[in-house]
Amino acid sequence: LATCRSLGWKAVIFVPPESTEFRGWYAEAGRRELDTLLADLASEFAVPLLDARAWVPDANIGDGHHLCGSGADRLTAKLRDTMTPWLSQTFPRP
């Protein structure tokens, strides 16, 4: 993120989709620690945090974290809707 900022590149922190079962494998304390770390990084570097862990229904996730067919289409559409306004912004060069 520091390199992206120094080069004037837009960056985003993206947490990919995971099934309900897959998300359940994480201890609550570990999940809270990860969420705090990601939020802190997003704040420190002033970048969006896209937490897509629950964006895709379990039926469209093949093995817990790989999308199947319409799951990939669903994620792409959601990313397009979420990111288009941000990507169209003008950002100052460092």
Side-chain angles (χ1 to χ4, degrees), residues 33-55:
E33 188 175 333
L34 176 61
D35 291 346
T36 298
L37 171 66
L38 294 171
D40 289 349
L41 285 170
S43 176
E44 177 183 348
F45 289 94
V47 298
L49 170 59
L50 298 181
D51 184 353
R53 287 177 277 197
W55 283 8

Side-chain angles (χ1 to χ4, degrees), residues 29-92:
R31 187 175 17 257
R32 280 194 310 270
E33 188 175 333
L34 176 61
D35 291 346
T36 298
L37 171 66
L38 294 171
D40 289 349
L41 285 170
S43 176
E44 177 183 348
F45 289 94
V47 298
L49 170 59
L50 298 181
D51 184 353
R53 287 177 277 197
W55 283 8
V56 177
D58 290 349
N60 298 126
I61 304 175
D63 60 0
H65 64 279
H66 289 104
L67 303 180
C68 299
S70 62
D73 295 337
R74 184 184 191 115
L75 177 63
T76 299
K78 177 81 170 177
L79 282 171
R80 185 180 305 118
D81 292 345
T82 303
M83 296 302 299
T84 297
W86 178 76
L87 288 170
S88 63
Q89 294 176 19
T90 302
F91 291 83

